[in-house]
Amino acid sequence: MSSVRPVAQTTHPEPEKLALLIDQSKNIKHLKQIHALLLRRGLESYPVLNLKLQRSYSSLGYVQNSVALFNLTQNPDVFFYTAIIRGHAINGLHERALNFYVQMLIEEIEPNAFTLSTVLKACCTLETGKALHCHAHKFGLVSDSYVRTALIDIYARGGDIVLARRLFDSMVERNLVTFTSMITGYAKNGNVDEARELFDGMEERDVVSWNVMIDGYAQHGRPNEAIVLFRQMMKAKLKPDEATMVAVLSACGQVGALGSGQWIHSYLGYRATFNCRVGTALIDMYSKCASLEDARKVFDGIKDKDAVVYNAMIGGYAIHGFSQDAMKLFKEMPEVGLHPTDITFISVLSACAHAGLISESWGLFNAMKDEYGIQPKVEHYGCMVNLLGRAGRLEEAYELVKSMSIGADSVLWGALLNACRLHKNIALGEKVVQFLLQRGLAHSGTYVLLSNIYAAAGNWDGVARTRAMMKQSGVQKEPGCSSVEVNNKVHEFLAGDTKHPKSKDIYAMLEEMSKWLKAHRHASQTEEVLHNMDDEAEKERSLKVHSEKLALAFALISTKRGTTIKIVKNLRVCPDCHAVMKLVSKITGRKIVMRDRNRFHHCVDGMCSCGDYW
DNA sequence: GGGCAGCGCG
């Protein structure tokens, strides 16, 4: 190498060339090499190159390196400030990003539209958003489309969807991104239909707009519409990306659409390995579609698993009641250098709850607080209440709920009520419902559970009163809906449904099932029939057409002998249907796997994996 | 010399 510097310098790459090299560096090693080269040539503080270095370090996640360079910069201008704010914002260091913005204002450097849209990215609260909105006015940036898009985003995510829409409507030029931003706002806020209206009105859509809409359906209880929209996307010849797949897989898991989920798996190419995001989505889908072995295969194939991947697999074991496997994976986490998260604890605690492991649960619950420094959330309490309730320790469960410093939600109260139902404890059930009514927290599930508690104890007065309360408050029972997938198509059934094309055959099968059940001396478990029917025969008739039984009958006539039957129900399975599933599994020799709102039931040869507690 | 939107786990 020549040691004659002046000569060498003229033959070295020009700054423009170096700038390009920085932009093109794909990893930290690369970048550091170029940085070293700049240092050797005394070009480190050459403004353009310095700026580019900072940006590249930040985008590779090395914000500290950017900060070090920033601190060496003499009189950083608006470009440098914007870069350092952005570096922190994209790496989730929101508070520090805001601090740099404040520092910039103190230095009396005026932010431009780039700065403002960047700092808006780091703004987490509605209050900060409003303050920045004022700044936008002050600096005359409020009509800039990037600033405005960011503002729409902030307001929509902060829950002020009306204001977000007002900003959107007042924009002179709205583009694909603005629309997508507004649609995202609606979707995240649960206004899926408004989102769809905007989506349908768009002149052009890209993969992101489709993804947002599909995910909006998937995350707001409308998984079937998510799958339908995905098919339309494919028809429109748009190439789905990873985000599309993650959203659709979530939807497949929710409805138990194993066939569709497998199709996506094959579209992704049945690779031996997936990244964490796609891998997690596949694990979740397979777990919820009762294919735990496939979930595990995907899990094993993921290299560099993160905690989220573990959470998904542990959660899979948990809903199937495989507590030992869940615990085993949980114990493996520290061994591979992963820290359990709050979600991990929800999964292991629910696994323990399903298996009735009381001392283990208390141990985990306390360790979570004391050793891992994770504050229990309402969901963690929910697991404990489920567990204690199932074990009949109702007062202990009630005391736990009352002792909480955070507010209990309707799911937690529901867990307590379910325990009252299981142990026929009317007194506590009434107390809880009274409590909920006073605070306006009662919803349809509350009433149904209370009614079930009365019915279980044969208290028909109580049932009638509950019915009257429901009517008075205008609450309607969420209709039970069961689905079963046959030939990649999800068939849905409501109670007493006659809309299915094969309805006649289904009802014939139900008659046949009745005969089997009679022969096996099955006594209908009418205790939880909601209505006060005087006639026992009438109660039986209403039980016979429960949605899960229709789904079972349809599966029996339309699937091959010996194959596993998989049913998904949106509510908790009713006791009579549960008993029937077990019996039918024995009579037909088929495995019946049913997922209800809470967990999986694997019925084999007359026994259920839940041990008859759910 | 710079900027905006989408994904997972109970």
Side-chain angles (χ1 to χ4, degrees):
Chain A
M1 199 201 271
S2 166
S3 59
V4 189
R5 285 265 167 211
V7 178
Q9 224 158 31
T10 56
T11 57
H12 272 311
E14 298 292 314
E16 292 78 26
K17 185 87 201 277
L18 287 167
L20 202 65
L21 278 175
I22 296 173
D23 284 343
Q24 287 169 344
S25 59
K26 292 260 187 306
N27 56 53
I28 186 70
K29 204 178 142 202
H30 235 139
L31 191 61
K32 282 189 170 166
Q33 277 173 353
I34 300 167
H35 190 172
L37 180 69
L38 296 186
L39 275 171
R40 276 205 300 277
R41 301 206 19 220
L43 283 170
E44 192 198 31
S45 49
Y46 188 96
V48 175
L49 297 178
N50 187 330
L51 191 71
K52 283 197 174 280
L53 268 182
Q54 289 192 40
R55 280 205 201 105
S56 296
Y57 274 124
S58 295
S59 57
L60 290 170
Y62 293 75
V63 198
Q64 279 322 305
N65 297 32
S66 307
V67 174
L69 282 168
F70 181 84
N71 289 337
L72 290 174
T73 309
Q74 305 275 317
N75 305 320
D77 63 4
V78 62
F79 294 102
F80 281 92
Y81 269 107
T82 304
I84 201 72
I85 291 168
R86 180 174 152 77
H88 288 88
I90 59 174
N91 285 289
L93 303 163
H94 295 151
E95 204 160 319
R96 290 197 192 167
L98 289 172
N99 287 341
F100 275 103
Y101 176 67
V102 172
Q103 190 185 324
M104 174 180 171
L105 293 178
I106 292 170
E107 300 285 336
E108 297 190 323
I109 295 167
E110 194 173 312
N112 59 26
F114 293 96
T115 322
L116 213 64
S117 62
T118 305
V119 75
L120 279 165
K121 230 173 132 83
C123 150
C124 319
T125 64
L126 208 52
E127 285 75 46
T128 328
K130 284 182 178 160
L132 290 170
H133 194 169
C134 293
H135 287 199
H137 276 293
K138 183 176 162 193
F139 296 113
L141 304 169
V142 82
S143 54
D144 177 87
S145 79
Y146 287 83
V147 170
R148 203 170 268 230
T149 303
L151 282 170
I152 290 173
D153 199 53
I154 301 276
Y155 284 120
R157 281 173 202 268
D160 199 334
I161 198 78
V162 177
L163 195 47
R165 180 64 194 241
R166 210 176 294 157
L167 277 169
F168 175 79
D169 284 335
S170 66
M171 283 179 83
V172 184
E173 258 183 60
R174 292 180 299 196
N175 57 24
L176 178 61
V177 179
T178 333
F179 266 88
T180 309
S181 201
M182 193 62 228
I183 291 172
T184 310
Y186 276 129
K188 293 265 177 242
N189 211 41
N191 305 0
V192 189
D193 293 316
E194 278 95 337
R196 182 61 188 262
E197 212 181 307
L198 276 183
F199 179 82
D200 286 338
M202 285 170 86
E203 283 173 18
E204 52 157 348
R205 307 180 189 95
D206 69 355
V207 61
V208 180
S209 24
W210 283 91
N211 289 354
V212 169
M213 199 58 238
I214 291 171
D215 193 58
Y217 282 126
Q219 299 310 316
H220 289 91
R222 293 163 70 167
N224 277 318
E225 283 155 279
I227 296 171
V228 168
L229 198 62
F230 171 65
R231 299 221 168 101
Q232 285 178 24
M233 176 182 178
M234 297 294 284
K235 236 190 215 159
K237 298 267 184 264
L238 255 105
K239 199 172 167 347
D241 65 6
E242 242 179 39
T244 324
M245 297 311 187
V246 171
V248 184
L249 283 169
S250 164
C252 293
Q254 289 174 54
V255 287
L258 179 62
S260 304
Q262 281 170 328
W263 184 87
I264 293 188
H265 194 175
S266 71
Y267 185 92
L268 290 164
Y270 283 125
R271 277 175 263 152
T273 181
F274 289 98
N275 67 34
C276 288
R277 286 182 177 224
V278 175
T280 300
L282 280 168
I283 291 169
D284 183 55
M285 181 278 291
Y286 277 126
S287 304
K288 289 185 177 151
C289 292
S291 297
L292 261 187
E293 294 83 6
D294 290 309
R296 181 67 200 224
K297 262 186 230 159
V298 174
F299 176 82
D300 288 332
I302 301 173
K303 288 188 197 112
D304 298 321
K305 297 188 243 310
D306 62 10
V308 182
V309 172
Y310 269 83
N311 291 351
M313 194 65 234
I314 294 173
Y317 284 131
I319 46 170
H320 286 275
F322 293 176
S323 52
Q324 294 310 320
D325 297 275
M327 287 304 287
K328 211 172 141 202
L329 272 191
F330 171 68
K331 288 182 181 140
E332 200 180 294
M333 287 181 76
E335 290 163 21
V336 295
L338 291 173
H339 296 288
T341 69
D342 56 336
I343 305 285
T344 318
F345 281 100
I346 294 171
S347 298
V348 275
L349 283 173
S350 78
C352 287
H354 289 156
L357 306 171
I358 294 182
S359 63
E360 279 88 343
S361 288
W362 276 121
L364 284 165
F365 189 77
N366 292 326
M368 175 178 83
K369 287 190 293 184
D370 306 334
E371 288 171 37
Y372 294 89
I374 297 171
Q375 285 311 307
K377 291 189 179 158
V378 63
E379 293 89 342
H380 301 102
Y381 284 102
C383 296
M384 296 308 294
V385 167
N386 259 326
L387 172 70
L388 294 170
R390 167 183 163 162
R393 295 153 84 149
L394 294 180
E395 287 298 334
E396 202 178 330
Y398 188 44
E399 288 308 314
L400 182 65
V401 175
K402 284 197 300 189
S403 77
M404 289 167 55
S405 51
I406 47 171
D409 68 354
S410 61
V411 179
L412 187 55
W413 290 111
L416 195 54
L417 280 175
N418 189 50
C420 294
R421 172 191 69 89
L422 212 54
H423 296 281
K424 304 193 188 351
N425 188 331
I426 294 186
L428 184 57
E430 284 179 330
K431 214 152 94 184
V432 171
V433 172
Q434 211 52 48
F435 184 91
L436 292 178
L437 284 172
Q438 278 162 9
R439 282 160 186 75
L441 294 170
H443 67 304
S444 72
T446 318
Y447 293 104
V448 172
L449 277 167
L450 180 64
S451 173
N452 286 346
I453 294 166
Y454 283 130
N459 181 339
W460 298 111
D461 266 3
V463 174
R465 261 187 287 124
T466 314
R467 295 273 301 161
M469 284 194 315
M470 280 179 81
K471 215 170 179 177
Q472 201 186 350
S473 59
V475 192
Q476 290 199 336
K477 180 185 180 295
E478 188 182 341
C481 174
S482 298
S483 57
V484 63
E485 193 189 48
V486 174
N487 294 331
N488 286 347
K489 192 169 179 295
V490 177
H491 300 257
E492 285 187 323
F493 299 92
L494 296 169
D497 213 331
T498 52
K499 285 194 286 290
H500 196 275
K502 288 213 173 146
S503 200
K504 227 178 127 191
D505 302 331
I506 292 168
Y507 280 84
M509 188 66 221
L510 278 179
E511 287 305 320
E512 179 73 25
M513 278 162 58
S514 292
K515 282 183 206 153
W516 298 348
L517 297 173
K518 280 224 171 63
H520 282 79
R521 297 161 206 264
H522 166 72
S524 295
Q525 311 213 353
T526 50
E527 58 181 35
E528 289 198 2
V529 177
L530 189 57
H531 310 266
N532 176 13
M533 298 175 185
D534 296 326
D535 187 355
E536 201 60 28
E538 198 183 338
K539 282 187 202 163
E540 280 189 30
R541 269 198 297 280
S542 92
L543 272 179
K544 208 161 112 184
V545 293
H546 269 187
S547 65
E548 51 268 57
K549 292 202 185 80
L550 293 178
L552 176 62
F554 174 67
L556 283 170
I557 59 170
S558 48
T559 55
K560 268 195 239 118
R561 195 180 282 239
T563 53
T564 300
I565 293 172
K566 296 176 182 179
I567 296 167
V568 175
K569 192 187 175 188
N570 63 339
L571 306 175
R572 248 187 259 258
V573 60
C574 110
D576 187 66
C577 292
H578 190 261
V580 168
M581 301 268 168
K582 290 198 295 181
L583 252 177
V584 170
S585 78
K586 187 173 184 173
I587 293 164
T588 60
R590 294 179 71 164
K591 186 172 169 183
I592 300 170
V593 179
M594 159 139 197
R595 189 180 101 205
D596 73 5
R597 179 169 272 193
N598 242 15
R599 59 165 295 156
F600 269 97
H601 302 263
H602 294 246
C603 299
V604 182
D605 196 28
M607 306 276 279
C608 181
S609 61
C610 75
D612 297 341
Y613 282 97
W614 70 91

